[in-house]
Amino acid sequence: MAQPVPSSPASSVAGEDDQTTEFNPQETPKLNLLPGQMKSYSHHIPSLKAGPYNVQVAHELSSSGESPLRLASAQRFTVVVPRFSLPHGDIHSCYPHHGHAEMAHVLPHTVFNDPHLPWERWVETNEHDPRASVCTPWLGILTFTPEELKIDPKDWPAEARPLKQSALLSSGMSLESLYRTSAKVALPFSAQELVQNDSERPPGEKRGDMVKAIFLKSALFQDLFCQQTGPPNVVSLDRYKYMAHVRCVQRNDETKEFSVVVSPRSGPTDLDSPKPMIAHLVSLEGIEENIKFPLPVDKPLVGLISLHSWSYQSLPPGHIDYVHLMKELGLKMAPLRYSDSIIEMSTGLSASHADHKTGAPTSDMESRQLNISEKKWLQGRMLNGFSFVRYRPNSGEETTALYRGPVSPDLSYNLARELGRSLAYADRAFLAAMTRIRGQVHKRAQGNVAAQLSVLNPNVRSYVDKSTLLSALKDNIMTDDDNAMNKMAPGESTERRWRAPTGRGGTMVKLSRAPDLSVLLVGASINQIPCKMARARCLETYFSWKGEGGNKIQDEFEIQTDVPVEKELSQM
């Protein structure tokens, strides 16, 4: 049974001298950190790395005068660790953030929630020290310019499927498709793995699994993976061995462990303008073992598994980034406010020795002389950009208020309220739930008010529910057999379409017995109106009707002879 080699990494605590501690990977380190402090370890080796293991147990019982009894048992199990994709939630954060900009000398890095993740898989190395294979992470971060990752179609194998690169210049394909490119592309897989079927593969792996891969030109791959000390024609991971570590961070009463993988490659340092960069978290497993220099001439590309990717802007030297810009504004810029002389004249206090952390004033400030605490409060408001404006409350008297304009910084409760409201509007699920709750509350309140009104005045029917209205629909409809259609004469004003012409017949459909809540449909019989439309439109649309039998009927609706009733109603 394979066992990992214990390690003795150097560790340091913020604010203390560097120290060397013996780290047992099978035990959680006992740290005495204060909030905000951090302790770093070079690695955190798990008790068991990925792969198959055998457990064998033997026991022998002996007694005087009898032959010994030997008992033995064996059990085989496999430690399964993600290889071609990372589970959701493993990555805590990436820096520089996706879409942001950072100086060219900054090394991109990724923080993982699992402190063991970078060392959970075996990485074979060419070094004689057995600790090297144990301590070398199987994850690495590589940064590229877009030109370095774009593949010329003529370099792609003709027998493979056409290469489609995403916006981050990775290619999604199945393992089977990736294996088929091995004739023209150098891959970090053994010859045995290339022909393994699903039953021979580790649990959870299948040839049809989808992966993301990037393809590097042979010259670029040699620059990234050549041996740094010794002959350069040897594939080596020595530069990636020290590009991962563990951070133990004290958060209030909780100690949290993170693993961090850092890229050994920064952005171009000879830039004169911002340059887009692409960072890929790649698997280093199998590179030293299965790829050798010099690369074959008929294999101009090298394929690597990409587990995560993001893009950012690399800034040239001297360029102002967002962080430095905000710091400069905070140090050198002040809000729009009164000058120091006006503040000193108004409060009698020097603005250069102001204390912004002041309490609230008393309620009778305007009726007497201000004391020192109230002067400090007023001074703090004026320094923060408030100005005096005339104000008249609902009670009618005229007074003075403090107002701060939209250009000045606002750290009040009103800003927090507006921010929360904007976040709520942006969340569709929350907005829909809130709308349903408000509708239920309004419906219940409406029912309660209607019930109270009916108790106060039983003779007045102030509220009719939907079921009652639909059940009385038949008795509330009056029709006229005259089905003459009203047509507009050529050149006639469209206003007449909304008036009942004198002496012209039509059908009046009246909903509701009350004459002031009626629906009049002129020019169609009731049996032409679909039941669905009658319920959906007629019951929800009310026109005022006055003077039954008069020559002038207000707000009536005339349906033209050449327009279907259903289409006309849908436009209401």
Side-chain angles (χ1 to χ4, degrees), residues 205-383:
E205 290 186 13
K206 296 182 179 180
R207 297 179 69 90
D209 292 343
M210 297 301 296
V211 299
K212 289 184 179 181
I214 58 173
F215 298 93
L216 311 182
K217 302 176 180 66
S218 57
L220 176 60
F221 177 83
Q222 185 163 355
D223 291 340
L224 295 176
F225 292 95
C226 66
Q227 187 171 260
Q228 292 183 303
T229 58
N233 59 343
V234 176
V235 178
S236 176
L237 298 177
D238 56 353
R239 73 182 70 184
Y240 303 94
K241 182 169 57 176
Y242 303 108
M243 302 309 296
H245 64 276
V246 176
R247 296 181 183 179
C248 299
V249 182
Q250 184 69 25
R251 291 180 171 180
N252 297 328
D253 297 333
E254 179 187 11
T255 301
K256 184 69 174 178
E257 292 184 344
F258 301 94
S259 55
V260 184
V261 176
V262 184
S263 173
R265 198 179 194 222
S266 67
T269 58
D270 56 349
L271 297 176
D272 53 5
S273 61
K275 178 74 174 180
M277 299 294 296
I278 301 175
H280 281 272
L281 177 68
V282 300
S283 172
L284 305 178
E285 186 179 6
I287 291 181
E288 277 197 14
E289 186 179 3
N290 301 308
I291 300 179
K292 305 298 180 181
F293 289 149
L295 293 173
V297 180
D298 58 345
K299 293 185 177 181
L301 299 176
V302 179
L304 298 178
I305 296 295
S306 175
L307 302 169
H308 184 68
S309 58
W310 73 96
S311 63
Y312 66 96
Q313 289 278 338
S314 183
L315 301 178
H319 195 280
I320 299 297
D321 61 347
Y322 178 79
V323 175
H324 293 87
L325 179 60
M326 292 296 103
K327 287 182 178 179
E328 290 295 321
L329 288 176
L331 294 174
K332 298 181 179 179
M333 301 299 293
L336 298 177
R337 62 174 178 84
Y338 290 112
S339 63
D340 293 346
S341 59
I342 296 180
I343 296 177
E344 185 174 352
M345 180 181 63
S346 302
T347 62
L349 301 176
S350 175
S352 58
H353 299 87
D355 182 10
H356 291 260
K357 298 180 180 180
T358 56
T362 58
S363 57
D364 57 343
M365 282 181 56
E366 298 181 358
S367 61
R368 58 175 175 79
Q369 191 71 19
L370 301 181
N371 57 37
I372 186 63
S373 62
E374 293 166 347
K375 289 181 179 181
K376 287 184 177 181
W377 177 86
L378 181 60
Q379 180 194 51
R381 285 291 189 266
M382 298 179 71
L383 288 173

Side-chain angles (χ1 to χ4, degrees), residues 341-455:
S341 59
I342 296 180
I343 296 177
E344 185 174 352
M345 180 181 63
S346 302
T347 62
L349 301 176
S350 175
S352 58
H353 299 87
D355 182 10
H356 291 260
K357 298 180 180 180
T358 56
T362 58
S363 57
D364 57 343
M365 282 181 56
E366 298 181 358
S367 61
R368 58 175 175 79
Q369 191 71 19
L370 301 181
N371 57 37
I372 186 63
S373 62
E374 293 166 347
K375 289 181 179 181
K376 287 184 177 181
W377 177 86
L378 181 60
Q379 180 194 51
R381 285 291 189 266
M382 298 179 71
L383 288 173
N384 287 330
F386 285 90
S387 58
F388 297 100
V389 295
R390 182 179 299 174
Y391 179 69
R392 188 185 298 275
N394 295 333
S395 54
E397 66 271 14
E398 186 174 308
T399 182
T400 302
L402 291 172
Y403 172 76
R404 178 164 50 188
V407 182
S408 301
D410 187 357
L411 302 178
S412 62
Y413 287 108
N414 183 60
L415 176 64
R417 174 181 175 275
E418 291 298 327
L419 178 60
R421 205 166 84 174
S422 300
L423 293 175
Y425 286 152
D427 191 336
R428 295 185 178 181
F430 175 82
L431 186 60
M434 181 60 68
T435 303
R436 288 195 298 268
I437 292 176
R438 292 183 63 181
Q440 294 173 3
V441 172
H442 182 270
K443 183 178 180 180
R444 182 173 298 181
Q446 186 182 28
N448 294 338
V449 171
Q452 295 175 7
L453 291 177
S454 63
V455 173

